[in-house]
């Protein structure tokens, strides 16, 4: 299934991080995880939406603050 990862920016805007095809195993794993790592950045998954018109799963992610 196609998955779109959307980052919620501090200003409230949404930015597409990436779009790719996920296996059903990866989608099923979402039931057990709260955090996703993409491009060496960690995000909290705050909600998901099934876009029936596009046949895609959209995940809203909030970046985690990291200590440098």
């Amino acid at each position: 299934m196609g998955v779109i990862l959307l980052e919620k920016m501090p200003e409230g805007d949404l930015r597409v991080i990436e779009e790719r095809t996920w296996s059903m195993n990866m989608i099923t794993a979402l039931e057990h995880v709260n955090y996703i790592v993409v491009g060496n950045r960690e995000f909290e998954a705050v909600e998901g939406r099934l876009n029936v018109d596009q046949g895609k799963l959209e995940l809203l992610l909030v970046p985690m603050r990291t200590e440098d």
Side-chain angles (χ1 to χ4, degrees):
M1 172 175 270
V3 176
I4 301 172
L5 301 178
L6 301 162
E7 178 180 1
K8 185 169 184 181
M9 306 302 286
E11 307 81 31
D13 297 331
L14 299 179
R15 180 180 75 87
V16 174
I17 298 171
E18 72 170 33
E19 181 176 343
R20 72 165 81 166
T21 301
W22 283 21
S23 70
M24 288 311 296
N25 286 341
M26 290 177 68
I27 292 171
T28 301
L30 288 172
E31 295 178 30
H32 306 284
V33 301
N34 296 318
Y35 300 92
I36 296 174
V37 177
V38 181
N40 292 322
R41 293 180 62 206
E42 185 174 29
F43 297 91
E44 180 178 8
V46 292
E47 67 181 68
R49 176 172 81 167
L50 181 60
N51 186 325
V52 176
D53 291 335
Q54 292 184 9
K56 297 186 181 191
L57 176 63
E58 300 169 351
L59 297 176
L60 182 61
L61 307 175
V62 175
M64 299 303 299
R65 294 181 190 250
T66 56
E67 301 290 327
D68 290 334

